[in-house]
Amino acid sequence: MLDVHVSKKLESYALDISFKANKGITALFGPSGAGKTMLAKMLIGLEKPDFGHIRLNDNHLYKREDGKIRQINVPPQNRNIGFVFQDHRLFPHYSVLGNLKYGMKARSPSRPTPDMDEVIHFLGIETLLHRKPNTL
């Protein structure tokens, strides 16, 4: 279960979100400027809430109570949360295969590396491997 209660003050508004989501896929939707991307960035650890908590199952990924100094902030690479950006996030000077290899290189030695052929087949990108991002 994903349990979220976060607050963050932004330039034009304050974001205050609270929800629980059961196991499975969770989608965010709403009008432009509502805070969906900011919430997603907080969930994956690219942005830090001002206070609140993000808990996945029994693990706190982020926790800071208002007025308290002690906090938990698990780094993005240790959160086991996927994020699909609405625009491309590939290195433009690498091919698709080069981008995949770069991602595999950044894996932690303590975590098993997925088989490259399995990943390529799972994504169905066999015909795209030698293309650059601007041609996709």
Side-chain angles (χ1 to χ4, degrees), residues 26-109:
T26 300
L28 302 174
F29 62 93
S32 180
K36 301 177 299 293
T37 300
M38 180 57 68
L39 172 61
K41 287 179 177 180
M42 288 190 284
L43 292 175
I44 64 175
L46 296 179
E47 290 282 343
K48 190 164 72 169
D50 294 333
F51 65 92
H53 69 264
I54 300 169
R55 190 171 63 226
L56 183 58
N57 299 321
D58 294 327
N59 302 312
H60 271 99
L61 304 178
Y62 178 84
K63 183 177 181 182
R64 180 174 181 202
E65 296 174 358
D66 193 23
K68 300 211 175 170
I69 296 173
R70 186 161 189 242
Q71 67 181 21
I72 298 169
N73 190 21
V74 175
Q77 65 271 23
N78 297 338
R79 290 190 179 209
N80 288 327
I81 295 178
F83 182 83
V84 179
F85 291 93
Q86 61 190 9
D87 54 356
H88 65 81
R89 298 287 177 173
L90 300 174
F91 292 115
H93 58 291
Y94 285 158
S95 65
V96 171
L97 182 60
N99 273 278
L100 283 172
K101 286 180 179 179
Y102 182 87
M104 295 290 197
K105 185 171 53 173
R107 300 280 301 175
S108 166

